[in-house]
């Protein structure tokens, strides 16, 4: 049987010793010589030069009390230089007052070794901080790789969202998609039948981030399979539920689907645990909630769904959205809520769908004092559907 493979030893780390006392240099060098490469500087100026050399030290042991430039000044300069700011600095000192140590930490030191030196202590402190630096570097590398993967996932997700908004005579649609993170659990798409008929889906996967985004991407494939009965919202949701059940255990999907028939001037709507659709009637100037909800998608194979049907009137506006919109909170932890949203719809009825969408998101950002870049609390998707003259 062959021996277990051994990991190749990493290259010896370089320690820069900065001290103007030969005895101290000898003690420290002796403690480290078997485990590390060392370089020596006897002044602050020489230390800065060696720290900035092509072969940079992995750690610096720095005496505080030196003629000319003292250790505090050397450390401050190291930390202000992007080329050397990540090198850990351990101060060597005979001073033990709290204010002296506090000053050292303020200028960027990571630790202290007090004189007279114990070789074992010196070696232990160096080993610990070399290990910590390597751990931080590894975490940074892993974070960079993760961010690259998330960016790739974001690009994939954006590619499955509609690249353009369908244009039908007599119908104006505006869509806004604001993910909380690089990738999101919100989704919307269209089943374009002809210039008189269209199906519109909005969905929200529970949770956030990559798992939710992967489930959202499954919806695109599942929705395409529903094109044969796009005029029947209840059947569309039933088909989506069957497609998703058994595919995941820790998430669920809320959704709403509407079918618009411009030939007969009617709309059909069904929901699956989703916030109600909002309807603004031009004839009354009022906004109402429309709700016909079955169970959320992906949880119960036997779930059933029903649909509402109602006439379309010229000038009417319909709004679909995900719950991140209503649940956005301000500094007082007050949610934006449906009533405030409905008042906004009524007060901005004269703006076309695209303008309305932009104005609303500006207002929501102002009210919550947050944007996606500043730490948006949830994914937000908004679909505005206007029935107009043609």
């Amino acid at each position: 049987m062959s021996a277990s493979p051994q990991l190749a030893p990493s290259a010896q780390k370089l320690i820069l010793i900065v001290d103007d006392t030969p005895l101290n240099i000898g003690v420290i060098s002796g403690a480290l010589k078997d485990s590390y490469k060392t370089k020596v500087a006897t002044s602050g100026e020489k230390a800065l030069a060696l720290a900035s050399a092509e072969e940079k030290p992995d750690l610096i042991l720095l005496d505080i009390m030196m003629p000319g430039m003292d250790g505090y000044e050397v450390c401050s300069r190291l930390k202000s230089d992007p080329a050397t700011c990540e090198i850990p600095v351990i101060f060597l000192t005979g001073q033990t007052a709290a204010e002296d140590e506090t000053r050292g930490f303020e200028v960027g030191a990571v630790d202290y070794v007090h004189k007279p030196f114990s070789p074992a202590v010196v070696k232990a402190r160096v080993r610990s901080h070399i290990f910590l630096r390597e751990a931080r570097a590894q975490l940074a590398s892993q974070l960079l790789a993760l961010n690259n993967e998330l960016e790739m996932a974001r690009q994939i997700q954006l590619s499955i969202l509609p690249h353009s908004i369908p244009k039908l005579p007599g119908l104006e649609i505006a869509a806004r998609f604001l993910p909380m993170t690089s990738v999101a659990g919100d989704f919307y798409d269209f089943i374009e039948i002809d210039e008189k008929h269209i199906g519109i889906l909005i969905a929200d996967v529970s949770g956030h981030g990559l798992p939710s985004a992967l489930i959202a991407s499954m919806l695109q494939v599942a929705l395409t399979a529903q094109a044969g009965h796009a005029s029947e919202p209840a059947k569309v949701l039933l088909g989506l539920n069957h497609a998703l059940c058994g595919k995941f255990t820790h998430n669920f999907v809320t959704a709403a689907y509407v079918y618009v028939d411009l030939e007969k001037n009617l709309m059909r709507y069904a929901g699956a645990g989703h916030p109600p659709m909002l309807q603004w009637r031009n004839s009354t100037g009022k906004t109402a909630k429309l709700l016909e909800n079955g169970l959320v998608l992906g949880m119960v194979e036997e779930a059933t769904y029903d649909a509402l049907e109602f006439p379309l009137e010229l000038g009417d506006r319909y709004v679909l959205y995900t719950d991140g919109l209503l649940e956005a909170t301000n500094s007082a932890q007050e949610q934006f809520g449906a009533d405030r949203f409905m008042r906004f719809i009524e007060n901005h009825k004269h703006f076309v769908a695209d303008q309305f969408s932009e104005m609303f998101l500006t207002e929501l950002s102002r009210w919550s004092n947050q944007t996606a870049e500043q730490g948006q609390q949830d994914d937000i998707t908004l679909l505005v559907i206007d029935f107009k003259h043609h």
Side-chain angles (χ1 to χ4, degrees), residues 324-338:
L325 186 153
L326 299 185
E327 294 174 1
T329 57
N330 61 11
S331 57
Q333 296 304 303
E334 178 186 9
Q335 292 191 346
F336 192 82

Side-chain angles (χ1 to χ4, degrees), residues 8 126 146 151 256 261 299 354:
V126 169
L146 178 60
E151 176 58 24
D261 185 336
M299 296 287 286
D354 209 57

Side-chain angles (χ1 to χ4, degrees), residues 115-268:
K115 301 175 184 178
F117 304 126
S118 162
V121 170
V122 171
K123 195 170 183 178
R125 296 284 175 87
V126 169
R127 182 171 60 246
S128 294
H129 288 289
I130 288 289
F131 175 81
L132 288 173
R133 188 187 187 195
E134 289 180 331
R136 284 195 298 270
Q138 185 176 16
L139 286 174
S141 176
Q142 292 172 345
L143 182 60
L144 178 61
L146 178 60
N147 286 337
N148 289 337
E149 290 177 3
L150 286 174
E151 176 58 24
M152 187 181 301
R154 187 182 75 87
Q155 294 295 337
I156 293 172
Q157 184 177 35
L158 291 176
S159 73
I160 68 172
L161 291 173
H163 294 163
S164 60
I165 302 300
K167 298 185 183 302
L168 283 68
L171 199 69
E172 182 181 353
I173 303 172
R176 296 294 185 274
F177 172 76
L178 299 177
M180 174 185 176
T181 57
S182 297
V183 288
D186 282 9
F187 176 77
Y188 71 94
D189 204 355
F190 308 98
I191 299 179
E192 298 182 60
I193 302 167
D194 54 40
E195 65 175 13
K196 293 287 187 180
H197 306 88
I198 187 172
I200 304 170
L201 174 75
I202 188 170
D204 183 0
V205 184
S206 63
H208 307 290
L210 195 54
S212 299
L214 292 173
I215 296 171
S217 68
M218 295 168 58
L219 283 165
Q220 184 197 38
V221 177
L223 181 64
T224 302
Q226 312 309 314
H229 42 263
S231 64
E232 300 177 78
K235 281 191 176 181
V236 170
L237 293 182
L238 187 67
L240 293 176
N241 185 56
H242 287 164
L244 295 177
C245 273
K247 301 298 193 299
F248 43 84
T249 57
H250 300 294
N251 298 82
F252 59 85
V253 180
T254 72
Y257 177 83
V258 298
Y259 169 72
V260 180
D261 185 336
L262 296 175
E263 189 174 17
K264 297 180 181 178
N265 290 343
L266 62 84
M267 178 181 282
R268 298 187 185 118

Side-chain angles (χ1 to χ4, degrees), residues 17-32 40-42 61-66 92-94 113-119 122:
I17 304 167
V18 187
D19 201 307
D20 63 331
T21 305
L23 178 61
N24 292 338
I25 294 172
V27 172
I28 296 171
S29 297
L32 302 178
V40 174
T42 56
L61 291 167
L62 178 59
D63 189 20
I64 292 179
M65 303 304 293
M66 294 186 297
L92 308 173
T93 182
V113 174
H114 294 106
K115 301 175 184 178
F117 304 126
S118 162
V122 171

